[in-house]
């Protein structure tokens, strides 16, 4: 099979990047800096696969040797790896080569030296080193906890900069993106971040001073903390209004995105990356999800639109959203009127009728309808006005009947596929539920 024009261009691009990297040892500090700026420009032109290919163990080892041999300054190393880490985080790449090389120890050592040993701290360099370290990090529990009391206050100080210049906005964005890489597996003391994080979010809500990526990143950092700190629910939901904010951001981002890929080797738009990051953050919040909370009904509507729009170009995102709907079906059913607004029933029927339907998606889709049927058949409705519930139940059932839910679902009994046996059994159960609704 002949390589496409885009594939040949990308291969040339990555080849040129690797070639430039190999010449760095022969250059002085000023020349190195110019070459690194050129290399960073190449990174901007790379797609996810290109960047993944150049972030090799060899690159990390070679640069680490240059640093140890004093053939590259710390500033130049930070200039290169800060940009690589930024793009890695933006694409949500999970390559662990940084974690597997001694460069991780070198950066950690440089951070401690700059913070604790050096008499006059270079705060800009310290922030750059912290950004490199956190944005390149990928493994769980690889990071030393001693890094956090240094890196978190340092990067929050950068993020609190309220200057409106593009340069300042980019620095804030990079600092918050690096902080968002501190995963939910790490327990962080609230006194290290909570006051500043609340200030950053509230300031943006009032003045809209952050980029879209920066705003998503600050929320991701906070949501990751909720994994160990359930006491944050009041702050996240009622004080900072996560449901409302996430819904608004997804709605505005959707207006900027052109989903249709015009080229075979499509370079993902930044807005798409940010939307995917929002979706992933929302997917990590099943225990916080409640349609009765402010904005969460609108958030469901936005996710339905995102799921449908991304079905062809980003099927993994679409499938993950369907699975998330299924895992939260109980909460969705408790606010069952959302079906009448969000088009969620139509979305699931569309998914079931796809010619490329995956067994896993068929299963979660049918289980979703099964949960709806069970909830609609409840005999005792707590915390609901019984008359209102009966009316809502009738409206939902009419919509299900209008869309042909029963016919589509029970048609799975006629499908002869060895990998869909369990799905057939579920569809038989569903038929009974539809009969007695």
């Amino acid at each position: 099979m002949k390589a496409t024009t885009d594939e040949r261009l990308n291969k040339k691009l990555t080849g040129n990047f690797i070639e430039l990297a190999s010449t760095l040892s022969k250059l002085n500090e000023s020349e190195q800096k110019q070459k690194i700026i050129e290399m960073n420009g190449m990174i901007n032109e790379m797609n996810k696969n290109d960047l993944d290919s150049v972030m090799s163990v060899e690159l990390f080892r070679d640069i680490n040797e240059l640093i140890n041999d004093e053939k590259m300054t710390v500033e130049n190393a930070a200039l290169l790896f800060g940009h690589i880490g930024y793009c890695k985080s933006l694409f949500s790449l999970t390559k662990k080569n940084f974690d597997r090389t001694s460069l991780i120890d070198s950066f950690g050592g440089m951070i401690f030296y700059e913070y604790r040993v050096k008499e006059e701290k270079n705060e800009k360099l310290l922030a750059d080193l912290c950004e490199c370290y956190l944005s390149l990090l990928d493994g769980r529990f690889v990071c030393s906890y001693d890094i956090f009391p240094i890196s978190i206050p340092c990067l929050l100080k950068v993020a609190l900069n309220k200057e409106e210049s593009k340069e300042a906005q980019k620095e804030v964005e990079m600092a918050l993106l690096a902080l968002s890489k501190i995963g939910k597996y790490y327990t962080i003391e609230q006194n290290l971040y909570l006051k500043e994080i609340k200030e950053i979010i509230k300031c943006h809500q009032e003045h809209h001073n952050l980029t879209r990526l920066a705003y998503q990143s600050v929320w991701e950092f906070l949501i990751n903390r909720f994994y160990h700190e359930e006491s944050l629910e009041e702050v996240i939901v009622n004080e900072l209004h996560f449901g409302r904010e996430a819904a608004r951001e997804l709605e505005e981002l959707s207006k900027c995105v052109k989903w249709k890929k015009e080229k075979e080797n499509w370079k993902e738009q930044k807005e798409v990356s940010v939307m995917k990051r929002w979706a992933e953050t929302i997917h990590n919040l099943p225990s916080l999800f409640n349609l009765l909370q402010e904005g969460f009904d609108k958030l469901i509507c936005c996710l339905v639109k995102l799921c449908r729009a991304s079905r062809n170009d980003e099927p993994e995102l679409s499938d993950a959203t369907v699975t998330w709907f299924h895992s939260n079906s109980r909460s969705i059913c408790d606010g069952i009127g959302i079906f009448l607004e969000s088009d969620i029933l139509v979305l699931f029927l569309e998914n079931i009728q796809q010619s490329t339907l995956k067994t896993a998606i068929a299963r979660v889709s049918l289980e979703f309808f099964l949960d709806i049927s069970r909830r609609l058949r409840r005999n005792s409705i707590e915390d609901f006005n019984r008359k209102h519930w009966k009316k809502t139940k009738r409206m939902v059932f009419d919509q299900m009947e209008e869309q042909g839910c029963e016919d589509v679902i029970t048609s799975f009994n006629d499908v002869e596929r060895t990998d869909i046996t369990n799905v057939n059994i579920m569809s038989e159960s569903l038929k009974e539920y539809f009969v007695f609704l």
Side-chain angles (χ1 to χ4, degrees):
M1 183 182 294
K2 293 183 179 180
T4 65
T5 301
D6 286 327
E7 287 172 340
R8 288 193 294 270
L9 288 174
N10 289 338
K11 189 174 182 180
K12 183 178 179 181
L13 181 65
T14 55
N16 288 343
F17 178 90
I18 294 169
E19 184 179 347
L20 277 182
S22 68
T23 67
L24 293 175
S25 61
K26 304 171 185 177
L27 307 175
N28 62 36
E29 181 180 345
S30 177
E31 291 170 336
Q32 271 187 1
K33 183 176 181 179
Q34 291 304 312
K35 289 296 181 185
I36 289 172
I37 291 173
E38 188 178 344
M39 292 166 68
N40 286 347
M42 292 179 177
I43 291 172
N44 290 336
E45 298 301 317
M46 292 181 184
N47 61 28
K48 186 174 182 176
N49 293 333
D50 298 332
L51 182 60
D52 190 60
S53 68
V54 300
M55 282 196 311
S56 63
V57 170
E58 291 74 22
L59 176 67
F60 291 124
R61 286 176 179 169
D62 290 347
I63 299 299
N64 191 46
E65 287 182 12
L66 293 181
I67 297 170
N68 292 336
D69 295 341
E70 297 184 351
K71 293 181 179 180
M72 177 178 284
T73 63
V74 176
E75 287 81 359
N76 278 350
L79 178 63
L80 174 62
F81 285 115
H83 194 65
I84 289 177
Y86 170 83
C87 294
K88 176 180 183 286
S89 299
L90 182 60
F91 280 128
S92 298
L93 285 171
T94 57
K95 204 160 194 173
K96 296 180 174 62
N97 287 345
F98 174 67
D99 306 350
R100 294 169 179 159
T101 66
S102 54
L103 185 62
I104 186 173
D105 298 321
S106 295
F107 270 114
M110 288 185 281
I111 289 170
F112 287 122
Y113 173 77
E114 192 65 39
Y115 182 77
R116 293 177 177 170
V117 180
K118 200 172 179 182
E119 291 184 4
E120 293 185 10
K121 295 181 180 64
N122 182 334
E123 293 192 2
K124 174 68 168 63
L125 178 59
L126 180 60
D128 289 345
L129 290 171
C130 291
E131 286 172 10
C132 289
Y133 189 94
L134 294 177
S135 60
L136 289 171
L137 193 70
D138 197 70
R140 299 180 185 180
F141 306 111
V142 174
C143 179
S144 167
Y145 272 82
D146 293 338
I147 288 285
F148 294 139
I150 300 173
S151 60
I152 293 175
C154 175
L155 294 177
L156 285 174
K157 185 176 181 180
V158 175
L160 283 165
N161 184 358
K162 296 180 175 62
E163 291 182 32
E164 296 182 357
S165 68
K166 286 187 177 181
E167 184 181 64
Q169 277 199 324
K170 184 61 180 290
E171 289 177 354
V172 169
E173 183 179 83
M174 291 184 71
L176 290 173
L177 185 61
L179 284 172
S180 74
K181 291 298 296 297
I182 302 177
K184 61 186 180 182
Y185 310 103
Y186 296 104
T187 304
I188 310 296
E189 296 293 330
Q190 289 188 15
N191 61 1
L192 278 178
Y193 68 87
L194 188 56
K195 178 183 175 182
E196 292 81 1
I197 289 293
K198 287 165 65 174
E199 181 180 345
I200 291 168
I201 291 176
K202 287 180 177 179
C203 182
H204 176 78
Q205 289 174 349
E206 184 176 352
H207 302 289
H208 300 283
N209 58 306
L210 299 176
T211 66
R212 296 199 184 283
L213 177 59
Y215 192 49
Q216 185 282 324
S217 296
V218 69
W219 271 112
E220 185 171 344
F221 173 83
L222 182 58
I223 296 303
N224 282 337
R225 309 287 68 80
F226 176 70
Y227 187 79
H228 291 288
E229 298 282 350
E230 292 188 2
S231 61
L232 290 173
E233 179 174 349
E234 174 66 24
V235 173
I236 293 171
V237 175
N238 297 322
E239 185 176 351
L240 300 178
H241 314 290
F242 174 77
R244 181 194 71 191
E245 294 296 297
R248 191 196 68 238
E249 287 296 306
L250 282 175
E251 187 70 33
E252 292 183 2
L253 280 164
S254 66
K255 297 174 183 176
C256 306
V257 172
K258 297 178 181 178
W259 283 102
K260 188 175 181 180
K261 299 178 182 179
E262 297 177 356
K263 297 182 179 180
E264 182 177 342
N265 198 15
W266 184 55
K267 188 178 186 299
E268 189 173 273
Q269 302 163 68
K270 188 173 182 178
E271 292 84 1
V272 174
S273 297
V274 179
M275 289 181 79
K276 290 167 72 173
R277 289 171 60 85
W278 271 112
E280 185 176 350
T281 301
I282 294 164
H283 293 173
N284 287 331
L285 274 180
S287 58
L288 186 60
F289 176 74
N290 186 340
L291 273 173
L292 303 180
Q293 294 164 339
E294 180 198 2
F296 278 71
D297 54 343
K298 294 179 181 177
L299 185 54
I300 287 292
C301 293
C302 290
L303 288 173
V304 169
K305 292 176 183 176
L306 174 61
C307 186
R308 181 178 283 124
S310 63
R311 187 183 291 147
N312 295 324
D313 294 321
E314 295 289 343
E316 290 184 4
L317 172 60
S318 183
D319 292 350
T321 305
V322 167
T323 303
W324 184 84
F325 281 139
H326 164 249
S327 65
N328 288 281
S329 58
R330 181 180 179 87
S331 296
I332 294 173
C333 288
D334 283 341
I336 205 160
I338 191 64
F339 292 124
L340 306 177
E341 301 174 16
S342 68
D343 225 14
I344 195 169
L345 290 177
V346 179
L347 172 72
F348 271 84
L349 285 174
E350 288 172 354
N351 285 331
I352 289 176
Q353 296 177 82
Q354 286 184 88
S355 58
T356 57
L357 179 64
K358 301 173 186 175
T359 303
I361 298 303
R363 182 173 290 108
V364 298
S365 297
L366 291 177
E367 287 176 349
F368 182 80
F369 282 112
L370 192 59
D371 286 339
I372 293 172
S373 300
R374 286 170 176 160
R375 300 295 285 172
L376 286 173
R377 290 185 67 200
R378 293 184 302 179
N379 293 322
S380 60
I381 311 299
E382 297 179 2
D383 301 324
F384 279 93
N385 179 289
R386 189 173 296 276
K387 185 176 180 180
H388 175 73
W389 175 256
K390 187 175 182 180
K391 180 180 178 182
T392 301
K393 176 179 173 179
R394 181 73 256 172
M395 292 173 72
V396 173
F397 179 70
D398 286 346
Q399 189 182 81
M400 295 173 79
E401 188 175 47
E402 180 183 339
Q403 298 297 333
C405 290
E406 183 178 356
D407 291 339
V408 173
I409 291 168
T410 55
S411 69
F412 275 88
N413 292 313
D414 301 323
V415 178
E416 295 182 0
R417 284 177 58 189
T418 56
D419 61 344
I420 210 163
T421 303
N422 292 334
V423 174
N424 289 341
I425 294 172
M426 277 192 289
S427 65
E428 282 285 5
S429 301
L430 272 169
K431 187 174 182 179
E432 295 178 11
Y433 276 106
F434 275 110
V435 168
F436 294 107
L437 273 176

